[in-house]
Amino acid sequence: MAQNDSLRKYANYIMESYPGSNHRDYELDTAGLSNASFGKEIRDKEFALKKTITFINHGSYGTVPRRLLDIQTRYLWEREEQPDLWFRFHAKHYVERSTQAVADFIGADVSNVLLLSNTTSALNIIVRSYPFKAGDAILDTNLSYGAIKNMCYDFTTRIRPDVKRVQLQVNFPIDGEESIVEQYEDILKNNPAIKMVILDHITSPTSIIMPVRQIVDVCHKHGALVVIDGAHAVGQLPLNVPEIGADIYTSNMHKWLYTPRGSSFLWFDSKHESWINPSNTSWQLGLSLDKQFFDQGTCEHIPFICARHALEFYTAIGGLEKIVAYTSELAEKAKEIFVTELGLETLQIPESLEAPNMKLIKLPAFPKFPRSLERTWGLQNALFAENNIFGIVFLFSGSFYVRLSFQVYNDVDDLRTVAKVMRDFIDKNI
Ligand SMILES: Cc1ncc(COP(=O)(O)O)c(C=O)c1O
């Protein structure tokens, strides 16, 4: 049965104007941010982190600056003053303004950008929407994020068992970009059924910058679409999304751009617009993608509405150049402390492939903590829980590693604190 036309016309309830109501186009107060000093000063003034903790894991959930929390709260209060006007009148306007700001930031046309809650949703939406044919295959890698590996598994076993999953085992040591590109070339040549490649821009937790442009070319040569999982990229790497040449690109903004959590973007090449569907069919069925994504039932838009303000914050404190100059300095210092002084190793990859804000430290073998996935949190707790530190421990290629994240609020004292705890633990446990 055809979609009811009058229902469709009625459904377009997102109103252009309403008597007596005006959008409050808030602006973030950026006073004092341009000369904020990184390290303890910005931590105390601009972030809500507890004084007693050493926070060296921005990479998982980030932390939201106070000014962003304030502006998020203003939207929350505004919504409760008149919920109907918010959902029917204000929210779409705010989402549009934020989408425009994000599109400008990533060098994209606004018509190719959708805002949604997180990278996991974006990737699920894309994989489930794509019109795979029986016998087609999807490619992920041993370096893909765990949740996304699960998604590939679930999709190809439960949802579309007629689609195959192929997993590339990226071989180590990696001696340069070329060797990664060659591994993609080989697997695509040997598996012509691969029609979609899920490609990380920065792998997590291994923190490797993948040569995405070259891999995109190889995939396209072999007839495969490229969907980039850039969860860690925006805010950490220079990013002009259309220039990468991928088909789809998604990144979290609640990691390195400081947005309140539940905020990511999905960019798509215009040629794919026809097959992309939101996870929920709702009132806006048949209308433009931005409307369908906006209205997937009553939901929370404020985190991605705040992306516009997060960009104001990010830019005001100095933007990518100043932030990465600072975090790179910390990373250098970390190498000096953990490698030169403690005698530990990092992951053996060329420096050009190391993510600027995340570094890995390899732990020695501990008899009490056999190297297995199940023992990871046990080791994490034993190492850090009593010391008010949160750094991520993970198992990779038969060894445990600690991933250290660097942000503008970290300083050398944080590194020294973590190093002392690790040294004491190693002395006691090897
Ligand atoms: C590479 C990668 N992909 C996807 C995700 C999932 O992000 P989210 O939990 O915000 O959906 C993460 C989170 O850390 C990640 O690192």
Side-chain angles (χ1 to χ4, degrees):
M1 199 196 291
Q3 190 192 353
N4 183 321
D5 200 39
S6 43
L7 182 61
R8 178 149 67 158
K9 284 181 186 143
Y10 168 76
N12 196 3
Y13 67 76
I14 302 163
M15 293 179 292
E16 304 297 322
S17 65
Y18 199 79
S21 184
N22 289 310
H23 306 299
R24 291 177 218 167
D25 284 313
Y26 307 116
E27 298 298 332
L28 190 84
D29 171 14
T30 54
L33 285 180
S34 64
N35 46 22
S37 190
F38 290 175
K40 281 197 186 48
E41 186 184 314
I42 201 166
R43 174 180 165 134
D44 291 347
K45 270 204 200 142
E46 301 295 338
F47 292 89
L49 292 165
K50 245 166 123 172
K51 284 214 181 319
T52 47
I53 67 162
T54 303
F55 189 58
I56 199 85
N57 187 34
H58 193 90
S60 288
Y61 301 107
T63 183
V64 184
R66 290 172 192 272
R67 297 185 199 222
L68 265 298
L69 292 174
D70 287 345
I71 212 151
Q72 180 184 23
T73 312
R74 286 163 79 180
Y75 284 113
L76 284 166
W77 281 105
E78 180 189 332
R79 186 165 68 193
E80 296 322 310
E81 284 173 15
Q82 226 307 12
D84 270 271
L85 282 193
W86 168 271
F87 282 104
R88 298 178 197 278
F89 175 59
H90 296 302
K92 183 70 168 70
H93 168 81
Y94 293 144
V95 170
E96 279 171 9
R97 282 208 68 187
S98 197
T99 311
Q100 183 67 59
V102 172
D104 292 345
F105 189 72
I106 61 170
D109 193 287
V110 71
S111 61
N112 300 100
V113 178
L114 299 163
L115 302 189
L116 59 170
S117 300
N118 56 52
T119 299
T120 306
S121 313
L123 293 173
N124 270 276
I125 284 167
I126 290 303
V127 168
R128 289 173 195 221
S129 297
Y130 186 66
F132 283 105
K133 295 198 190 77
D136 285 349
I138 182 169
L139 180 78
D140 64 329
T141 79
N142 58 328
L143 304 178
S144 300
Y145 185 65
I148 305 310
K149 286 180 184 163
N150 278 349
M151 177 197 73
C152 291
Y153 167 78
D154 190 44
F155 182 71
T156 54
T157 52
R158 182 179 63 87
I159 300 170
R160 287 289 306 267
D162 58 336
V163 173
K164 229 173 63 178
R165 175 188 184 192
V166 180
Q167 196 182 51
L168 170 67
Q169 300 300 310
V170 178
N171 292 327
F172 279 76
I174 295 172
D175 44 11
E177 294 186 349
E178 262 323 294
S179 75
I180 303 178
V181 179
E182 278 163 18
Q183 292 177 51
Y184 271 91
E185 178 91 57
D186 284 349
I187 202 154
L188 287 158
K189 221 188 284 168
N190 294 328
N191 294 275
I194 296 172
K195 290 291 172 290
M196 179 183 281
V197 172
I198 309 285
L199 170 62
D200 293 72
H201 200 163
I202 296 179
T203 63
S204 176
T206 39
S207 310
I208 302 168
I209 303 175
M210 298 294 264
V212 286
R213 277 193 208 202
Q214 295 94 307
I215 296 173
V216 164
D217 288 346
V218 169
C219 295
H220 284 169
K221 191 173 94 188
H222 289 276
L225 231 71
V226 186
V227 177
I228 299 192
D229 174 352
H232 278 278
V234 75
Q236 184 171 187
L237 296 180
L239 194 60
N240 181 307
V241 168
E243 276 180 5
I244 296 170
D247 297 275
I248 307 284
Y249 191 106
T250 176
S251 180
N252 278 333
M253 298 187 285
H254 53 230
K255 290 184 190 287
W256 302 101
L257 272 189
Y258 309 113
T259 59
R261 284 163 212 95
S263 177
S264 68
F265 72 78
L266 172 65
W267 174 90
F268 57 93
D269 187 310
S270 303
K271 62 177 177 266
H272 300 302
E273 184 166 352
S274 61
W275 57 261
I276 297 173
N277 297 302
S279 18
N280 297 339
T281 302
S282 186
W283 282 101
Q284 311 294 323
L285 178 65
L287 300 178
S288 58
L289 266 192
D290 65 305
K291 287 187 171 160
Q292 292 190 55
F293 272 79
F294 169 77
D295 174 10
Q296 297 189 60
T298 310
C299 62
E300 180 57 283
H301 306 95
I302 292 175
F304 43 84
I305 284 175
C306 287
R308 177 167 71 87
H309 306 298
L311 284 166
E312 290 169 326
F313 181 88
Y314 181 88
T315 308
I317 62 171
L320 184 80
E321 213 176 309
K322 189 170 162 200
I323 295 170
V324 168
Y326 182 78
T327 55
S328 301
E329 226 176 86
L330 276 182
E332 273 313 302
K333 199 74 203 162
K335 275 193 184 156
E336 212 176 291
I337 295 173
F338 290 92
V339 178
T340 315
E341 295 177 21
L342 263 64
L344 298 173
E345 287 173 34
T346 57
L347 187 68
Q348 295 306 299
I349 52 169
E351 233 170 78
S352 60
L353 300 188
E354 289 181 14
N357 297 359
M358 296 188 291
K359 301 291 167 195
L360 309 180
I361 309 295
K362 188 174 175 180
L363 293 169
F366 301 119
K368 269 209 279 181
F369 297 94
R371 290 153 152 175
S372 72
L373 200 54
E374 299 82 78
R375 299 305 294 266
T376 308
W377 289 112
L379 175 59
Q380 156 95 31
N381 287 348
L383 182 55
F384 290 136
E386 297 291 310
N387 297 289
N388 286 324
I389 293 174
F390 209 101
I392 276 288
V393 174
F394 69 97
L395 184 74
F396 177 67
S397 198
S399 295
F400 282 121
Y401 287 81
V402 174
R403 184 187 72 188
L404 304 173
S405 296
F406 309 117
Q407 243 311 310
V408 295
Y409 51 73
N410 291 119
D411 66 9
V412 176
D413 288 347
D414 294 332
L415 303 179
R416 293 250 169 243
T417 305
V418 176
K420 175 162 185 346
V421 165
M422 281 172 57
R423 171 184 278 161
D424 292 349
F425 186 86
I426 291 167
D427 288 348
K428 268 194 226 139
N429 287 281
I430 52 173

